[in-house]
Amino acid sequence: MDQRRTPVLDAIEQFRHNDQYSFALPGHRLGLGIDDRTASVLSRGAFEADVIFAKSAVSEAEELLADAVGAHHAVFTTCGSSISIHTAMLTVTGPGRKVLVDRNVHKSVVASLILAGAEPVWLRPRWDAENQIAHPATASDVAAALKREPDVSAVLMITPTEYGTGADVRGIARACHKHGVPLLVDEAWGAHFPFHDDLPTAAIQAGADIVVQSLHKADGGLCQASVILMCGDLVNPVDLRLRLDLITTTSPSALLYGSIDGFRRRMVAEGRQLLDDALRRTNHLRARLGKLSPLSVMDESIIGHDAVAEWDPMKLSVDVSGLGLTGYQVMDWMSERRRLSLQLGDSRRVICSLTYSDSEVAMERLATAFEDLVAEPPAPDRPAPAVPPLDELDLDQAMNPRDAYFAETEQVADPAGRISAEMISPYPPGVPAILPGERFNDAVVKYLRAGRAAGMVIPDASDPELASFRVVRNGCH
């Protein structure tokens, strides 16, 4: 296919220049109805590109993306990868059916289980006690789980994690296909993986049946731009589009479609060089920070550690605990003192998401900020929350998530022993610490309350102060 084409961008451009006036939506009339204050912040150009255009332009753009990355089908979505995950899950599972799910998943997967009424079989991640982070489960873990649960309808994995550690997608896909079940991969951070050999293996090229990617996380898409990629014959693409039609908007954004279209064209044309340059800058930064002795910077040596199969070098993971600081405090210091926003902070490290858009100037600014932090660290202003061993957070799934979510509930101050009716997800990364249907224990309650006191952001708790928790009213102790 002619990868120089940009059918969505062409359709937007043609609509803007053919002197056509619309008495249909959108009501702002290509920005004519926008006041100067709005235009000064959002730009009139954004409104001029917010058009309704022929579906054929999107269909052709989807075919071009599928061709570029080696997929059989591509489906653009404009409500973020949460909608893409919901669509994928509703396609492969349903009420009462079992699905093997990586417990390290994003909260959108749990929402999908509630929507589908599916029964999760949790696949526990590998716990790295040295670094106190979870890594993806292995192919043998998946194979063993499928042997124990032969009636599983699908498998869902997340890779790479927010920390950049990745799963053996090829091995996991083989295990799934041996049992005749599709593999879904949440590859939110990896839309650029197909375009460079020194990045983790693109899941769609490693045997995954459905792959969900966020184009805004590390690439050139606008926020909420997402794509679903499909391969193989275990999932019907017509079924997937019907599920998407059930839950998505009927007024999709041309701006989001256009940003996906433009990203694909640029990656095919110059992605290799863009990513070459980005990796060079990233490697230089990692080497520079590695000379700062109080800091510990994750590098390729993590591969093989606790069964880590791959590693994303564009994730800069810096352990700051040697300074006596938490990642939460360092994130605040970077924002307040250096005007730098980082991706993630936890009890001992910060994560910076690096992309091909980060210039030499930006990388120098980040490196200098870390050097200044080491030279004059702030005094610790909060206790570091103790992260309990993973087995203490391995909670009992006492009810189906959908049943617990819609049950009669009450708020209690001491939920230990009670069945949760809510999802509580420290964010980022948005991985739930407890799910609807899981039984609270003392360890998870203490961890969440200590984390909040240390600066953990918890946006979805029924009580933002965590003084009380929502539980199933008749859930026994």
Side-chain angles (χ1 to χ4, degrees), residues 90-104:
L90 289 170
T91 302
V92 300
T93 193
R97 299 175 69 190
K98 290 183 179 179
V99 57
L100 183 62
V101 184
D102 189 343
R103 183 55 182 81
N104 209 26

Side-chain angles (χ1 to χ4, degrees), residues 315-333:
K315 289 287 193 179
L316 181 69
S317 175
V318 183
D319 191 325
V320 296
S321 60
L323 295 170
L325 304 174
T326 67
Y328 306 119
Q329 185 177 355
V330 170
M331 278 194 73
D332 290 345
W333 185 91

Side-chain angles (χ1 to χ4, degrees), residues 180-221:
V181 299
L183 170 63
L184 285 63
V185 174
D186 180 351
E187 193 180 49
W189 291 94
H192 53 289
F193 290 172
F195 302 102
H196 202 286
D197 295 338
D198 293 337
L199 296 169
T201 306
I204 200 63
Q205 298 173 0
D209 300 276
I210 301 180
V211 176
V212 171
Q213 296 173 337
S214 295
L215 276 294
H216 64 277
K217 282 188 170 5
D219 298 297

Side-chain angles (χ1 to χ4, degrees), residues 148-202:
R148 290 193 305 270
E149 303 281 352
D151 53 346
V152 158
S153 61
V155 175
L156 187 143
M157 298 286 298
I158 180 170
T159 182
T161 68
E162 289 268 356
Y163 297 96
T165 60
D168 173 14
V169 179
R170 291 188 191 279
I172 292 170
R174 284 194 295 268
C176 291
H177 297 161
K178 182 178 178 180
H179 288 264
V181 299
L183 170 63
L184 285 63
V185 174
D186 180 351
E187 193 180 49
W189 291 94
H192 53 289
F193 290 172
F195 302 102
H196 202 286
D197 295 338
D198 293 337
L199 296 169
T201 306

